[in-house]
């Protein structure tokens, strides 16, 4: 038996109205739904490795294969300077933060379109979708970091005190990836051909970042230009943290950190600007 009850006329109602074009980010709402962010991040991890043979080893396989190819082409034949370290360790130490940033940004750019049904059926902070992709990629970075330790042991690379700065670099890469993922994800809702442009953009971005070549290859007077690349100073500092005899360029890292924060601000502002139209456009 179904009992129907009529709500009293005095009962308060919540009415959802479109936000202003440049409404501020609602941090309180994001905090109230923080459990949803963790759930979405864990869901992304499970979906990524569901029904795969190698599982989490894919997180190691991608940078490992890239390291092998770069070592043969750029280390052996092109003879790119590795600053006195084995090129295997030199390239892999630069690839680790870059592969994290590339994966988090690419998945963040596709996160909204991939969850179109969820967006059109219920309300939740849309920003959590690219943010979840950014957080899920942290696990890949942690797994791939184990291979770096193995390579350093095999080639006899003993880090110095700069290694203590390594945990500070991943949050900076996370901020840059969150900003780029939010910006590209919002653009991808309206311009669907962006999903074809993003892999090409990330490839060009990698060669503009000191991943396979040292930052010292740029003249000192112009090296600050690398800081305009959010990942330029981060990749160089990540390598300096694990290679002995190499010091972190704090001015370059500081400029890249500022650029990462600027990218995050631009990404969040644009995301907030167009968020109200996602359900209609997607």
């Amino acid at each position: 038996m179904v009992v129907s009850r009529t709500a009293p006329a005095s009962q308060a109602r919540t009415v959802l109205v479109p936000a202003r074009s440049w409404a501020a980010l609602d941090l309180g709402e994001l905090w109230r739904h923080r459990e949803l962010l963790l759930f979405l991040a864990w869901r992304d991890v499970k979906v990524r490795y569901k029904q795969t043979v190698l599982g989490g080893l894919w997180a190691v396989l991608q940078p490992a294969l890239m390291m092998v190819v770069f070592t043969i082409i750029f280390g052996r034949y092109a003879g790119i300077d590795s600053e006195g370290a084995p090129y295997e360790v030199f390239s892999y130490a630069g690839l680790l933060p870059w592969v994290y940033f590339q994966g988090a940004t690419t998945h963040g750019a596709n996160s909204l379109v991939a969850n179109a049904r969820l967006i059109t059926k219920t309300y939740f902070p849309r920003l959590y979708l690219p943010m979840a992709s950014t957080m899920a990629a942290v696990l890949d970075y942690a797994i791939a970091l184990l291979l770096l330790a193995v390579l350093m042991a095999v080639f006899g690379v003993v880090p110095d005190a700069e290694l203590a700065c390594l945990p500070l670099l991943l949050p900076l890469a996370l901020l840059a990836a969150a900003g780029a993922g939010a910006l590209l994800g919002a653009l991808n809702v309206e311009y669907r051909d962006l999903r074809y442009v993003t892999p090409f953009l990330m490839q060009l971005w990698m060669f503009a970042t000191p991943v396979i070549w040292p930052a010292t290859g740029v003249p000192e007077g112009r090296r600050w230009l690398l800081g305009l690349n959010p990942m330029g100073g981060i990749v160089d500092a990540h390598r300096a943290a694990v290679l002995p005899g190499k010091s972190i360029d704090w001015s370059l890292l500081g400029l890249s950190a500022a650029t990462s924060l600027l990218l995050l601000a631009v990404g969040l502002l644009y995301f907030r600007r167009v968020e109200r139209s996602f359900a209609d456009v997607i």
Side-chain angles (χ1 to χ4, degrees):
M1 181 178 65
V2 178
V3 179
S4 175
R5 294 185 177 90
T6 304
S10 60
Q11 183 174 346
R13 293 181 298 174
T14 301
V15 180
L16 299 178
V17 296
R20 299 187 304 273
S21 296
W22 294 102
L25 190 66
D26 192 347
L27 298 178
E29 181 185 49
L30 295 178
W31 175 253
R32 287 193 301 271
H33 296 85
R34 58 191 181 277
E35 294 86 359
L36 178 60
L37 175 60
L38 298 177
F39 171 80
L40 291 173
W42 180 242
R43 184 202 62 169
D44 285 355
V45 171
K46 293 193 296 183
V47 169
R48 189 175 306 176
Y49 298 121
K50 184 179 181 181
Q51 295 181 331
T52 58
V53 177
L54 298 180
L57 290 179
W58 284 110
V60 178
L61 193 60
Q62 181 182 359
L65 292 178
M66 294 175 69
M67 178 265 294
V68 172
V69 173
F70 290 162
T71 298
I72 295 174
I73 297 177
F74 300 106
R76 302 288 172 82
Y77 292 104
I80 291 181
D81 179 31
S82 59
E83 301 181 317
Y87 193 84
E88 292 84 351
V89 180
F90 173 87
S91 60
Y92 192 82
L95 278 168
L96 266 185
W98 173 257
V99 169
Y100 164 77
F101 174 77
Q102 179 181 11
T105 301
T106 302
H107 285 96
N110 297 322
S111 60
L112 296 173
V113 175
N115 291 276
R117 292 186 177 180
L118 185 61
I119 291 176
T120 56
K121 289 183 180 298
T122 184
Y123 175 78
F124 63 96
R126 278 40 171 155
L127 186 59
Y128 276 173
L129 291 174
M131 288 179 63
S133 299
T134 303
M135 294 180 60
V138 173
L139 180 61
D140 292 349
Y141 171 85
I143 296 174
L145 191 62
L146 299 176
L147 181 57
L148 177 61
V150 173
L151 288 174
M152 294 173 66
V154 170
F155 289 95
V157 176
V158 180
D160 49 26
E162 299 283 345
L163 184 64
C165 300
L166 190 64
L168 304 177
L169 302 177
L170 181 60
L172 294 179
L174 189 147
L175 293 178
L183 178 61
L184 294 175
L187 288 171
N188 195 28
V189 171
E190 186 170 359
Y191 308 104
R192 296 301 175 87
D193 50 352
L194 191 66
R195 62 179 177 176
Y196 304 111
V197 177
T198 300
F200 179 68
L201 173 65
M202 300 307 297
Q203 187 175 15
L204 291 179
W205 199 337
M206 184 189 71
F207 287 107
T209 305
V211 175
I212 58 178
W213 48 271
T216 53
V218 179
E220 187 173 356
R222 300 179 181 177
R223 199 171 300 165
W224 64 271
L225 293 173
L226 291 177
L228 301 180
N229 177 352
M231 292 302 295
I234 296 174
V235 168
D236 181 67
H238 192 277
R239 180 180 288 129
V242 299
L243 295 183
K246 181 174 171 58
S247 301
I248 294 178
D249 189 336
W250 291 103
S251 60
L252 179 60
L253 178 60
L255 185 55
S256 284
T259 309
S260 298
L261 290 175
L262 178 61
L263 177 60
L264 177 65
V266 171
L268 293 181
L269 285 174
Y270 182 77
F271 192 97
R272 186 64 171 169
R273 168 69 175 80
V274 299
E275 180 183 11
R276 60 176 182 170
S277 63
F278 285 167
D280 299 323
V281 176
I282 204 167

